[in-house]
Amino acid sequence: MRVRIPGFTGAFSIRRQLIVGVALVQLLLMSILVIDLTARQRSFLTERAKERVLFQVNALATSSLPLVIVDDVEGLTEIVDAFSRDRTIRYAMLTDTDGKVLSHSDHTKTGQQLEDAKSLEVMKSSSGPQLLFQSPSTVQATAPITVRGRIIGWAWLGIDRSGDQQYLDYVTRAGLIYTLCAVVLGTVFAIALGNTITRPLRSLLLGAKRLSRDRLDLPVPVTSNNEVGVVARAFNTAMERLSQQREALKNEIAERKRAEEALQRANASLARSNQELEQFAYACSHDLQEPLRTVKNFTSLLGRRYKTKLGNEADEFIGYIVDGAERMETLIRDLLAYSRAGRSDKEAALVDCQRALKTALSNLRGATESSGASVTSDELPRIMADDVEMVQIFQNLIGNAIKYRGERTPNVHVTASKIDGAWLFEVRDNGLGIPAQAHEQIFGVFKRLHGRELPGSGIGLATCARIVARRGGRIWVESEVGVGSKFKFTMPEASPAASEQAALVQS
Ligand code: ADP
């Protein structure tokens, strides 16, 4: 069965080329053979006819010699008739040296005179037997009848060559039939060979088409053990491998999808519980503030009113309670700030960092004045953030710089520079410094490097990290113990549209 390949017309198929090619080659070769054979046959027959006519004319001359000598016309007629019995002899003739016909196979011509120029010329020459005329249908020759070197007459003979021509026609016809047979046989052979070669090729082609349409499940039939068979087998192996790889890839994708879905579910659940936890922490710290304030206020009142009345020990205990309540208040306030920093309901707006720094410094006035700290800054930009949060960051970092100053008078400098579409802020101090191994851990909640001698909750830096991360920035510290620290953080740049709007509002 012929395999139909869509888009393949077969006009220049290998099969067609093979068939046409073999037929043409056969035709060409056989034609050359037939033409050559016929030409050789023709020249062979011509040579043979020439030899025969010369031999026969010589025989006629020799056998008629005695009768010419005695001038026996009847005898000569008998000899001529005897020669004429051979059907291939067209005519036989004997003449005297003047061209008078002594005897002729056509008796009516006996006694006539030869008059054609060629015959007369031949008779003048005294040479031996010679050819007079030759054509595909006849050959004629003449030979002198000689006695002791003297010519006494001439024998003339014409041979009919139509037999030769018939034979040549027969040879040509046979040659043409053989040519036809060879072409037909060659074509049949080419068709068979073409089918043997092209059928598996067509199967391969079909396989390749299927492959291009993503059908890897149908193998190409292997119909032979030759090179095409080897290619078909290799093709099938490649398709099988491809199919296996695709299956493996499918499984892997499905596996990944499942893992991704599980991760998404886990993330969503984590986000939910984080949110719940944040709400819980916020609610706790918010609601704890009120009773704690009551405890602190009334304990302070108790301490003031009943000072010395309850005894020294009671005064000391009341002092501890007030101190504890105050620390707890700080802790709760900081926790509240931390949980607020994680809430994502605050939209970013244009913030003037210079103004945020000013607010932070005014909040820190007590600490600044008591420590004699000098806080300076370069010009700070406007950025996309939340103003309360920016105040929080500056307040935490500058507050820490003053708090962890050591023996030196604090010197704090705030700068901002542009890097890759963001602002890089730096708060530099000349304080105690932080050991390298603690550079990361100090940004975690409740991570402190100092004891009670320096008050703090261990939440300030964690709050800063949270605010910065939520705005897409990063915070880190570069520090050397005994030299000072550089707290650095990045914040997104304000879009040109937002800056323009802010400028309009200000004007
Ligand atoms: P705290 O309320 O204790 O200051 P922070 O989260 O603000 O909490 O800081 C965490 C710890 O990092 C601090 O306890 C302190 O040991 C260290 N630290 C922070 N800032 C500085 C600084 N500028 N110089 C030296 N150490 C610092």
Side-chain angles (χ1 to χ4, degrees):
M1 193 193 76
R2 179 80 73 83
V3 186
R4 283 249 153 262
I5 313 282
F8 178 72
T9 60
F12 298 103
S13 67
I14 295 175
R15 188 171 172 274
R16 187 162 290 189
Q17 287 177 31
L18 192 71
I19 293 167
V20 173
V22 168
L24 282 178
V25 168
Q26 290 280 56
L27 187 66
L28 190 72
L29 285 179
M30 286 307 290
S31 302
I32 292 170
L33 187 75
V34 169
I35 291 167
D36 184 59
L37 195 71
T38 317
R40 279 169 197 276
Q41 283 292 327
R42 177 170 287 120
S43 83
F44 169 73
L45 290 174
T46 306
E47 284 309 309
R48 208 182 64 172
K50 279 192 228 165
E51 280 171 19
R52 203 179 129 216
V53 77
L54 287 171
F55 175 77
Q56 297 263 53
V57 82
N58 227 3
L60 178 63
T62 312
S63 53
S64 59
L65 171 66
L67 299 172
V68 173
I69 292 171
V70 293
D71 200 16
D72 180 356
V73 176
E74 271 181 30
L76 289 175
T77 305
E78 263 175 42
I79 286 175
V80 167
D81 287 347
F83 269 85
S84 303
R85 253 173 245 127
D86 181 346
R87 274 206 239 137
T88 62
I89 302 288
R90 210 173 239 192
Y91 74 93
M93 176 173 75
L94 293 165
T95 62
D96 62 14
T97 50
D98 296 327
K100 185 185 166 200
V101 178
L102 301 174
S103 176
H104 198 289
S105 49
D106 179 2
H107 292 179
T108 58
K109 292 185 176 166
T110 305
Q112 287 182 3
Q113 185 72 39
L114 287 184
E115 278 165 2
D116 67 291
K118 176 123 197 225
S119 303
L120 294 175
E121 196 183 315
V122 166
M123 281 189 292
K124 276 182 202 146
S125 71
S126 56
S127 55
Q130 56 185 296
L131 281 174
L132 283 176
F133 173 76
Q134 93 179 55
S135 76
S137 58
T138 181
V139 59
Q140 297 173 22
T142 183
I145 304 165
T146 51
V147 182
R148 291 194 197 104
R150 190 171 64 90
I151 297 171
I152 57 169
W154 289 88
W156 309 79
L157 203 70
I159 288 184
D160 183 16
R161 290 191 61 203
S162 58
D164 287 355
Q165 193 52 47
Q166 275 171 9
Y167 175 70
L168 278 176
D169 289 347
Y170 166 76
V171 168
T172 310
R173 252 196 324 275
L176 286 177
I177 289 168
Y178 288 143
T179 304
L180 197 68
C181 288
V183 170
V184 170
L185 280 176
T187 308
V188 170
F189 173 72
I191 289 170
L193 192 66
N195 283 345
T196 318
I197 294 172
T198 56
R199 192 173 298 139
L201 274 180
R202 279 170 171 273
S203 299
L204 262 183
L205 195 58
L206 197 71
K209 287 264 174 193
R210 279 200 219 113
L211 186 65
S212 72
R213 284 201 302 268
D214 252 15
R215 291 291 310 266
L216 301 177
D217 51 336
L218 298 170
V220 171
V222 181
T223 50
S224 61
N225 271 329
N226 56 20
E227 290 87 336
V228 182
V230 173
V231 173
R233 250 181 238 117
F235 187 80
N236 283 344
T237 313
M239 286 229 291
E240 204 176 317
R241 237 177 250 161
L242 212 61
S243 166
Q244 281 167 359
Q245 279 173 0
R246 174 176 289 191
E247 202 54 41
L249 204 67
K250 254 191 213 163
N251 290 342
E252 203 181 308
I253 289 171
E255 192 67 36
R256 272 192 198 175
K257 221 174 182 177
R258 274 200 292 277
E260 220 167 82
E261 280 166 9
L263 198 69
Q264 269 172 3
R265 278 200 300 276
N267 271 348
S269 144
L270 204 65
R272 255 198 324 275
S273 61
N274 260 354
Q275 209 179 359
E276 282 166 12
L277 211 62
E278 264 169 25
Q279 275 167 1
F280 176 72
Y282 180 75
C284 269
S285 42
H286 187 266
D287 295 352
L288 276 174
Q289 270 184 328
E290 193 47 45
L292 186 65
R293 206 169 293 135
T294 312
V295 170
K296 196 187 106 181
N297 289 345
F298 278 99
T299 316
S300 304
L301 196 65
L302 199 69
R304 279 200 306 276
R305 271 213 196 148
Y306 297 97
K307 198 168 168 78
T308 67
K309 286 181 188 151
L310 297 172
N312 285 345
E313 212 170 31
D315 289 345
E316 198 183 324
F317 290 164
I318 288 170
Y320 287 149
I321 294 172
V322 173
D323 186 43
E326 272 171 358
R327 275 197 287 118
M328 200 169 201
E329 198 178 26
T330 316
L331 204 64
I332 287 171
R333 193 194 59 227
D334 289 354
L335 261 178
L336 205 58
Y338 178 77
S339 63
R340 270 194 193 124
R343 292 164 73 135
S344 50
D345 51 358
K346 287 181 183 169
E347 279 296 313
L350 199 68
V351 176
D352 182 347
C353 291
Q354 203 69 56
R355 194 179 292 178
L357 177 67
K358 209 171 153 192
T359 313
L361 287 177
S362 109
N363 292 345
L364 288 167
R365 184 169 299 145
T368 324
E369 281 173 2
S370 64
S371 62
S374 129
V375 182
T376 53
S377 81
D378 293 348
E379 200 185 327
L380 298 183
R382 291 166 198 274
I383 60 165
M384 291 306 283
D386 176 83
D387 50 358
V388 177
E389 288 178 349
M390 283 313 290
V391 172
Q392 254 179 310
I393 292 176
F394 286 133
Q395 200 170 317
N396 269 322
L397 297 180
I398 297 169
N400 279 350
I402 296 171
K403 192 168 27 168
Y404 303 108
R405 62 182 175 268
E407 298 299 317
R408 288 188 288 265
T409 307
N411 219 327
V412 187
H413 187 64
V414 184
T415 60
S417 55
K418 235 185 207 178
I419 48 144
D420 304 331
W423 282 100
L424 172 67
F425 289 85
E426 184 182 307
V427 178
R428 193 172 65 224
D429 68 44
N430 58 342
L432 292 169
I434 302 157
Q437 69 273 15
H439 282 184
E440 275 189 24
Q441 91 184 43
I442 54 169
F443 292 100
V445 185
F446 301 133
K447 298 292 180 205
R448 302 200 72 231
L449 303 180
H450 298 90
R452 286 271 179 86
E453 75 282 0
L454 291 168
S457 60
I459 298 171
L461 287 181
T463 306
C464 293
R466 216 169 190 205
I467 294 169
V468 170
R470 205 156 58 78
R471 298 292 173 205
R474 198 166 79 83
I475 187 165
W476 69 100
V477 67
E478 290 166 9
S479 177
E480 204 179 316
V481 176
V483 177
S485 310
K486 286 179 194 166
F487 279 87
K488 297 186 175 185
F489 64 94
T490 56
M491 286 297 253
E493 211 182 332
S495 66
S499 305
E500 237 170 66
Q501 207 177 351
L504 271 177
V505 170
Q506 272 187 355
S507 64

